[in-house]
Amino acid sequence: MEMELEGKVAIVTGGSRGIGKAIALELARGGAKVVVNYRSNSEAADAVAAETGGIACQADVSTTEGANALVAAAEEAYGPVDILVNNAGITRDGLLMQMEDDAWEDVVNTNAGGCFRMSRAVIVSMVRRRTGSIINLTSVSGIRGNSGQVNYSASKAAIIGMTRSLAKEVAKRKIRVNAVAPGFIETDMTKTLPDMVVDGAKKVIPMRRLGQVEEIAPIVRFLAGPGAAYVTGQTFVVDGGMSC
Ligand code: NAP
């Protein structure tokens, strides 16, 4: 198996479980040194770090202090960051008419804010070194919208805009910025959805099933690596055909 990421340093935010865990494992298989970030579940993060041969690092990416400390810890352990995967994300679903301010603020600040703060924390070093790949996890919900997810879909649409703008800002410095938009993937995030919602989703997914985390990780690895050298500012949908 090709080790195209050998010598590269990667941070995966929210790498302790779900899609982030699969991405951390996949980047490690590509040869990268991986920093597995998490917010609260240190046991899960330590287990992923042990599997990747990397380190786990606690930080809340929705804060500037957390984001800056995470990048500093990665640099101290392995040197400058080459690959940033902004995967950490949360949902706090509900209808707009019942949505409290903190459900809006928490989701926008974690999803879009985390992406912004982490990208800002790595960008100067990437610009100086004329190398880097940033991959942001957005969602089909940020493209198509989803009832009950005004906060989440706004945060994910913001990530798509951020991806395009930052890609344009840093392209001439040889830094690439792309996004991956999963549809319904089987993780803790979708486990909490009522059966009715999941059954309804399956009916509108041409493949008639939810996706697996292992079906998201390979495209992230591709975008991180040399095969995607001329790809930037794009959002790649991985949804079993749901939005086609
Ligand atoms: P998940 O299973 O709920 O895992 C979320 C991860 O994010 C955990 O590792 C969690 O760490 C971490 N996290 C949450 N808030 C954080 C913060 N403030 N700072 C640092 N880490 C934080 O989620 P998932 O389903 O794998 O989703 C991963 C990404 O894909 C998210 O951005 C999500 O929006 C996106 N996505 C998911 C789906 C889907 O169907 N699952 C679809 C489209 C897009 P702790 O465990 O330590 O709290």
Side-chain angles (χ1 to χ4, degrees), residues 88-135:
I90 58 168
T91 50
R92 283 188 62 183
D93 295 353
L95 297 176
L96 174 77
M97 62 178 87
Q98 288 152 357
M99 194 173 281
E100 307 274 0
D101 284 3
D102 63 348
W104 168 266
E105 275 144 23
D106 285 357
V107 168
V108 170
N109 218 14
T110 301
N111 299 0
C115 203
F116 159 68
R117 291 183 168 84
M118 283 301 297
S119 300
R120 187 178 57 181
V122 297
I123 206 72
V124 173
S125 154
M126 285 184 174
V127 164
R128 275 204 200 109
R129 299 170 58 238
R130 299 286 191 272
T131 182
S133 176
I134 298 176
I135 298 119

Side-chain angles (χ1 to χ4, degrees), residues 16-17 19 39-41 60-61 87 138 152 156 183 185 187:
S16 56
R17 53 199 170 90
I19 293 171
R39 184 183 46 179
S40 53
N41 191 342
D60 180 348
V61 299
N87 165 81
T138 175
Y152 182 77
K156 293 299 185 179
I185 309 300
T187 68

Side-chain angles (χ1 to χ4, degrees), residues 133-187:
S133 176
I134 298 176
I135 298 119
N136 300 323
L137 269 290
T138 175
S139 168
V140 165
S141 177
I143 300 170
R144 307 271 302 218
N146 198 14
S147 165
Q149 290 198 317
V150 160
N151 51 356
Y152 182 77
S153 66
S155 74
K156 293 299 185 179
I159 289 174
I160 295 173
M162 215 184 303
T163 300
R164 293 193 181 120
S165 293
L166 183 58
K168 286 181 172 162
E169 257 179 57
V170 296
K172 62 175 179 292
R173 318 278 187 202
K174 300 200 169 86
I175 300 156
R176 297 179 299 100
V177 188
N178 290 289
V180 173
F184 277 93
I185 309 300
E186 258 179 55
T187 68

